[in-house]
Amino acid sequence: MRRNRRIFRSRAGGVAVVIVLSASSLVSCGPTASSPVPVPACTTACELGQLGRDRGITIGAAVTADGLRDPAYAAAVLQNFNAVTTEIDMKWRVVHPTSDSWVWAGADAVVDFASRHSLPVRGHTLVWGKESANPSWLVGTTSPAAFRSAVLSAITTEVGRYAGRVQRWDVVNEPFTSDGNELDHNVFYQRMGPDYIEQALRTAHAADPSAGLWINESGLELGTSRADNFIAMAAALVARGVPLQGIGIQAHRLTSSVIQPGRLASVVRRLRALGLQVAITELDVPTGPTRSESDQVDVDRQIAGECLDGGCTEITTWGVSDGATWLDQPANRADLPALEAFPVPTRPLLLDTAYRPKAAYRAVADVLRAH
Ligand code: XIL
């Protein structure tokens, strides 16, 4: 994780962009009226966040505290998005590195930035079964009672700290096996039992009853039996009165497999029918020899379109621009063999390395305009 953070910093720091403010090119954008700090005036890009605001749709970007230190990156967030997700700064390996220490600097920086600019925050993430994502002290806590107490107390501490400032939490991330149809028997499942999800949600709710609590999962956009089983799990939680407000569909399109038309909209509708909100939470569509930029446009258009057709309330991209994406970081690529088909740079996002809108940005804007 330390290594990743360094790579990220140097990538973000390496993006040098000068925003030229000429009176004729300025377009009003961003929450200038309500925000205590003026939103930088727009240059080329800006309409996405505003289109979302006008339609009550959250248009988010995953951001890092390191990234926000770069004024061009911060300006691009304010100009183009109306919400943020913490990409790494709230993960327990970063924020809770030892059993008796918390390192709040990064998470605080993101939340402070969002508060100053009236942007809602999706806190990502509390309980994530992926072993490499967890601090070694937690994985090494083998007594079920001690493990349960450590997990629930960490949730209480983190959610409590940001009560009123983080509006939505990805309480549980990726509970299913990476491409299967059932709960992963991860360390939380093993030590706390299959109801670890319910325990986590109830504990988060007690720490901040006003926060929206979500489960976030990959691959649901395909609408296969994985989605069927996931929807069944969500329905069971809702039926038991567990505090669950929404389901996040990550939508990392890391293979060239096609989402059969209508499948994503149908998944969104079925979840909405349970009384849940639904969001695309981690959209990125890498390009390469097997996926051109125009293919990327089609995929982004389909995902945004079906998401809104089905009644979802948020589209968040996993990063701000092509200049800093997790898909280009060596440590993540080593974990994701599918990325061999997408050599670096993968250019998976809506803004290019100079924060200019790409064709995919305009396609998503058109989808929003049509809704
Ligand atoms: C990734 C971050 O983007 C990287 O910077 C970090 O090194 C590893 O995690 N699914 C998730 C996210 O839910 O938390 C992951 O984020 C990407 C996959």
Side-chain angles (χ1 to χ4, degrees):
M1 189 57 74
R2 277 188 182 287
R3 199 166 139 231
N4 295 349
R5 284 168 65 81
R6 242 188 340 257
I7 292 164
F8 210 100
R9 189 176 304 128
S10 71
R11 284 190 166 278
V15 177
V17 175
V18 178
I19 297 192
V20 181
L21 303 180
S22 89
S24 58
S25 68
L26 300 188
V27 181
S28 145
C29 95
T32 39
S34 57
S35 140
V37 179
V39 173
C42 286
T43 48
T44 48
C46 83
E47 77 263 46
L48 215 49
Q50 190 58 47
L51 285 166
R53 263 183 219 105
D54 294 345
R55 286 156 182 77
I57 302 292
T58 300
I59 302 292
V63 302
T64 63
D66 285 345
L68 288 171
R69 287 203 200 98
D70 175 351
Y73 175 106
V77 172
L78 296 175
Q79 289 168 348
N80 297 291
F81 300 95
N82 63 40
V84 294
T85 298
T86 46
E87 182 177 349
I88 53 180
D89 295 287
M90 286 184 174
K91 288 173 176 164
W92 286 355
R93 271 189 73 143
V94 175
V95 81
H96 198 7
T98 66
S99 61
D100 53 3
S101 70
W102 287 89
V103 177
W104 297 114
D108 280 356
V110 175
V111 173
D112 289 348
F113 172 85
S115 299
R116 280 201 304 281
H117 296 284
S118 310
L119 302 177
V121 179
R122 176 180 286 278
H124 178 91
T125 180
L126 299 170
V127 170
W128 187 14
K130 189 176 162 150
E131 191 151 332
S132 61
N134 281 305
S136 50
W137 69 266
L138 185 67
V139 180
T141 303
T142 50
S143 141
F147 185 93
R148 177 176 187 277
S149 150
V151 167
L152 300 186
S153 118
I155 293 173
T156 302
T157 301
E158 194 169 355
V159 175
R161 180 181 182 86
Y162 295 113
R165 291 186 294 157
V166 168
Q167 290 72 18
R168 294 180 272 277
W169 283 98
D170 289 337
V171 177
V172 179
N173 194 34
E174 300 178 346
F176 272 27
T177 55
S178 57
D179 44 18
N181 294 345
E182 65 287 301
L183 283 181
D184 184 21
H185 290 201
N186 61 38
V187 67
F188 297 93
Y189 183 104
Q190 289 168 30
R191 311 261 157 84
M192 294 168 67
D195 70 339
Y196 80 88
I197 296 174
E198 176 168 348
Q199 295 179 52
L201 288 163
R202 290 198 188 281
T203 303
H205 182 65
D208 181 4
S210 67
L213 306 181
W214 291 61
I215 304 175
N216 195 43
E217 187 52 276
S218 66
L220 303 180
E221 67 276 12
L222 290 168
T224 56
S225 52
R226 176 180 177 80
D228 294 341
N229 287 11
F230 194 91
I231 293 167
M233 178 191 74
L237 290 167
V238 170
R240 280 206 302 282
V242 176
L244 173 66
Q245 274 75 46
I247 300 299
I249 299 175
Q250 293 183 356
H252 294 290
R253 301 305 304 141
L254 308 189
T255 69
S256 299
S257 62
V258 170
I259 305 172
Q260 293 304 320
R263 290 276 184 98
L264 169 56
S266 155
V267 169
V268 176
R269 283 196 191 97
R270 288 161 69 195
L271 289 165
R272 298 281 294 145
L274 297 172
L276 295 168
Q277 293 176 44
V278 188
I280 298 294
T281 50
E282 305 191 9
L283 180 64
D284 53 19
V285 183
T287 56
T290 56
R291 187 190 274 137
S292 66
E293 191 177 351
S294 108
D295 296 335
Q296 177 183 56
V297 169
D298 292 342
V299 176
D300 278 318
R301 184 189 295 114
Q302 181 189 6
I303 291 176
E306 292 203 22
C307 164
L308 296 184
D309 285 349
C312 76
T313 50
E314 171 182 345
I315 300 171
T316 284
T317 61
W318 203 243
V320 176
S321 83
D322 286 347
T325 164
W326 73 300
L327 300 178
D328 289 357
Q329 296 168 359
N332 297 322
R333 294 182 66 84
D335 249 11
L336 297 165
L339 283 179
E340 277 163 26
F342 301 103
V344 173
T346 55
R347 301 195 174 98
L349 292 162
L350 304 182
L351 296 171
D352 72 11
T353 55
Y355 302 105
R356 289 176 303 224
K358 294 165 55 183
Y361 179 107
R362 291 188 290 274
V364 174
D366 287 345
V367 168
L368 277 164
R369 252 182 232 104
H371 274 79

